[in-house]
Amino acid sequence: MGIRGETGVRAPHGPAAAAPDAWTVATAPGGIPLLGHALALWRRPLAFLAALPAHGDLVAIRLGPQRVWLACDPALVQQILMDPRTYDKGGPLYDTMRMVLGNGLVTCPQNVHRRQRRLAQPCFRPSRIADYATVMSDEIGAAVGQWRPGRTLDVTDAMLDLSARVTTGVLMSTSLAPGVAAEVRGCLATVMRGVLLRAVVPLGPFYKLPTRGNRRFDRALSRLHHIIDGIIAERRASTAGHDDLLATLLEATDDEPAPDACATGRGPDRPTAPPAHQEAPHAKEPLTDQEAHDQLMTFLVAGIETTALALAWTFHLLAAHPEEERRLHAELDAVLAGRPPVPADLPRLGRARRVVTEALRMYPPGWALTRVTTTETTLAGHRLAPGSTVLYSAYVLHQDPVAFPDPQRFDPDRWLPERAGSVPSGAMLPFAAGNRKCIGDHFAMTEAVLALAAIAARWRLRPPSARTVRPVPAAVLSPGPLPMVCELRSRPDGAAPAVPSQAP
Ligand code: HEM
C-alpha cells in the first residue's frame, strides 16, 4: 500500500497545531485476502484496536474492500470531532442506522444537524433532567423491586430492562402500556442486531430476500414505526396532561426551517437524506411528525442500550473488585441509611459517580465510531480523498497509559477532583466531543448513578462461578450475558436490609 511508516507534518490548526513533530501513518498488520482485518476486528475487537496505536498515529484497517482510518492520537480525534463539516456522520454503521433513525440527531448529516439539535436541546436542560430524575427513581425502584434473594439474573438483560423502563418512562410517560413497552424493547433488540449485521456484512440485495431473519427484521422495524407513529398521532390530537420528554419535544420551535420532505432519510421505502453539502431551504416551520418520529426512535436507540451496558459493566467490575465495592457500600450506607435514593441525594453520591465514570472509561459503550470526509482533506499529514471513512475509538483513547497510568486497573479514584485535573483534555471521551457530543450525557449519568445506588444499597451481585467475560463486538460494547446471584446486603451497623418492595 506504500503507506506503512509514512510520516506527515502535524496540521497547522486545531488541537494538533501545538506539536510540530511528525505524525506516523501505517497499515494495521495481519490482514488476510478478501476480508482484510474484518475477522480480527470481529473476534477480538478491543485487543485488535488497542494494539494499533503502537503502529502509528493514523492506521489503515481493511474491512473487505473498504479501508477505514483509525485516528489513534487524541489530537487527531479532536481534529475530526471539531470539524464536523469535513468529517460528517457516515460509515457502514451510521449509513445503516440512518435507514432506521432517518434524520434523528445521531444519524442526521451536518446540514440539518443544527436545527435538530436546537429542537431537542430543551428536552435535555438541567432543569428537565431534574424533573426526569423522579421518574427515573420510580422506574428503577419498580424494576429492582422484582428481584428476590438467591435469584440468578442475567445482569445485562436486567439492566436493558431497567434502562428501557426508565427511558420509555421519561420519554413517553403513560403513553406506552406495559405490554407495549416490552414489545418496543424486543423490537429494538431485533432491529439493532439487524443493523449491526447489515453494517458489518454489507450484502445489499441479500437483505431484501424473504429469509426468516430478514422478515423478522422488517416486521420489528415496521412495528416500531407503527407504535411511534401512533403515539405521536395521539399526542397531536391531545397534548393535555403530559409532562414528559415527548411533550417538550413537540412543543419545541426553532427559527430554522424544517427540511423539505426529501430531506427525511428513513428506510428504503422512504426518501433519502440530501447530500451533506446541500443546506436545507429556509422557511420557519414547527417540528414535523417525521422529525418527531425520527427523534423519538433516536432517543430510544441511543439511550437504552448505552446506559444499560454501562451499568452492566459497572456491576461486573464491582464484583471483580470487592475493595471498591466495599467503599461504595460505605458511601451508600452513610448517605442513604437503608432507604432508596432520591434525586436530592445525587450531589452526595460522589463515589457512585466515580465508579460509573471509571466503568465508562474501561468499557465505553460507544467504543468505535466513524465519520466520512465530505471533501479532500489532510489528517496526520496524509491526504484523505472525499468519502474516506475515519474511525475513532474511545476504548483505544481510554487505554493510553500516559493519560491513564495503569490503564487496565479499575481505579474509580482517578476521578477524584484532585486527580481528574491531570487527565489531558480530549483523552476521556465516553460521550464524544464537539457539536455531535452526546446530548443525553447528564440524563445517562443521572440514571446510572441512581440505578447503581438503588441496587448496590440493597443488593450485592455475585457471579455464580469464576468465568472470563469477553466483550461482545456490537454497535455498543456489551459484556454479553452476565449471570449473577442477588444477595441481600446487611449493613455494617446491623440494621436489617431494606425489604424489597413487591412487584407492581
Ligand atoms: C452511558 C450512556 C451513553 C453513552 C456512553 C453515550 C455515548 C454517546 C456518544 C459517544 C455519542 C457521539 C456519537 C458520535 O460521535 O458519533 C452520542 C451521541 C448521542 N447520544 Fe448518547 N450516550 C449515552 C446515553 C444517551 C442517552 C440516555 C440519550 C438520550 C436519551 C442519548 C442520546 C444521544 C444523541 C441524540 C446523540 C447524538 C447527538 C448529536 O449528534 O447531536 N445518549 N452518545
Side-chain angles (χ1 to χ4, degrees):
M1 212 180 265
I3 51 168
R4 187 186 299 274
E6 175 189 329
T7 58
V9 177
R10 289 192 178 219
H13 58 78
D21 43 310
W23 295 107
T24 51
V25 182
T27 298
I32 58 173
L34 291 178
L35 288 177
H37 304 97
L39 216 53
L41 192 59
W42 182 258
R43 283 194 179 144
R44 41 185 192 90
L46 301 189
F48 174 74
L49 288 183
L52 296 184
H55 298 277
D57 300 311
L58 182 67
V59 179
I61 303 169
R62 283 193 303 111
L63 299 178
Q66 284 202 338
R67 195 161 56 162
V68 172
W69 294 94
L70 175 71
C72 300
D73 188 287
L76 294 180
V77 174
Q78 289 294 313
Q79 194 180 329
I80 293 165
L81 295 180
M82 296 303 162
D83 184 3
R85 286 195 175 270
T86 304
Y87 299 93
D88 204 351
K89 284 280 176 118
L93 187 61
Y94 280 129
D95 293 346
T96 320
M97 274 172 77
R98 198 167 283 158
M99 189 174 93
V100 173
L101 303 179
N103 269 345
L105 259 183
V106 167
T107 43
C108 70
Q110 192 54 30
N111 62 322
V112 293
H113 177 257
R114 192 168 63 160
R115 170 179 157 85
Q116 299 302 331
R117 181 98 188 187
R118 285 208 300 229
L119 282 165
Q121 203 71 58
C123 305
F124 294 91
R125 284 200 188 111
S127 59
R128 289 304 284 145
I129 304 290
D131 298 338
Y132 306 151
T134 307
V135 180
M136 288 177 183
S137 288
D138 293 348
E139 293 290 352
I140 291 164
V144 178
Q146 301 181 22
W147 296 9
R148 290 291 170 266
R151 189 167 140 197
T152 302
L153 287 176
D154 174 353
V155 169
T156 303
D157 217 36
M159 292 305 111
L160 282 165
D161 187 56
L162 180 148
S163 182
R165 284 185 84 130
V166 168
T167 310
T168 49
V170 169
L171 256 58
M172 303 173 240
S173 59
T174 50
S175 289
L176 219 50
V180 183
E183 195 186 355
V184 165
R185 198 198 127 188
C187 290
L188 276 170
T190 306
V191 166
M192 287 317 290
R193 263 198 312 274
V195 163
L196 183 72
L197 182 69
R198 284 156 179 75
V200 175
V201 190
L203 291 179
F206 167 80
Y207 296 113
K208 300 226 179 288
L209 297 178
T211 64
R212 235 173 99 211
N214 290 345
R215 273 184 293 149
R216 195 181 314 126
F217 175 83
D218 291 341
R219 257 198 320 270
L221 185 55
S222 68
R223 182 73 186 126
L224 268 180
H225 286 322
H226 182 75
I227 292 171
I228 291 190
D229 281 339
I231 291 169
I232 291 171
E234 181 200 305
R235 290 295 182 94
R236 291 288 196 208
S238 162
T239 52
H242 296 290
D243 182 29
D244 49 18
L245 192 149
L246 179 58
T248 312
L249 188 67
L250 293 178
E251 279 162 16
T253 55
D254 188 61
D255 292 341
E256 255 179 66
D260 61 18
C262 71
T264 55
R266 139 162 98 87
D269 55 333
R270 298 174 190 243
T272 51
H277 61 269
Q278 190 183 311
E279 293 292 340
H282 285 257
K284 194 169 174 175
E285 281 175 43
L287 188 87
T288 65
D289 282 359
Q290 182 66 68
E291 286 175 319
H293 179 113
D294 290 350
Q295 226 57 281
L296 214 50
M297 284 282 284
T298 293
F299 297 152
L300 289 171
V301 167
I304 295 177
E305 229 183 338
T306 45
T307 315
L309 297 182
L311 277 165
W313 282 115
T314 300
F315 286 109
H316 164 66
L317 286 163
L318 283 172
H321 298 85
E323 184 53 24
E324 290 301 338
E325 188 183 49
R326 194 192 58 70
R327 290 181 179 164
L328 174 68
H329 288 160
E331 173 178 276
L332 298 176
D333 293 343
V335 174
L336 305 177
R339 63 172 171 78
V342 291
D345 296 318
L346 285 167
R348 293 195 296 145
L349 296 174
R351 181 161 291 278
R353 177 171 283 268
R354 290 196 292 280
V355 165
V356 172
T357 305
E358 180 66 347
L360 284 171
R361 182 191 69 81
M362 294 187 74
Y363 298 107
W367 62 290
L369 296 161
T370 52
R371 298 289 188 268
V372 168
T373 54
T374 53
T375 176
E376 182 176 317
T377 190
T378 303
L379 187 64
H382 183 77
R383 186 194 148 273
L384 294 177
S388 301
T389 304
V390 177
L391 178 71
Y392 80 92
S393 165
Y395 179 80
V396 170
L397 296 179
H398 296 176
Q399 289 298 310
D400 179 358
V402 176
F404 305 104
D406 200 359
Q408 301 282 340
R409 186 163 159 243
F410 177 58
D411 178 11
D413 282 351
R414 286 179 208 276
W415 304 106
L416 281 169
E418 60 273 22
R419 286 180 62 195
S422 63
V423 173
S425 126
M428 175 72 178
L429 283 184
F431 296 107
N435 75 341
R436 307 304 295 253
K437 181 175 186 246
C438 181
I439 200 170
D441 54 354
H442 295 304
F443 182 123
M445 287 305 289
T446 303
E447 175 185 342
V449 173
L450 284 173
L452 173 61
I455 294 168
R458 186 180 293 172
W459 299 101
R460 180 177 278 124
L461 299 174
R462 287 272 159 271
S465 57
R467 78 180 182 103
T468 309
V469 170
R470 288 190 202 291
V472 177
V476 181
L477 192 63
S478 165
L482 266 187
M484 290 198 180
V485 181
C486 304
E487 290 173 7
L488 209 50
R489 280 188 59 222
S490 55
R491 292 189 5 233
D493 59 7
V499 178
S501 58
Q502 290 305 307

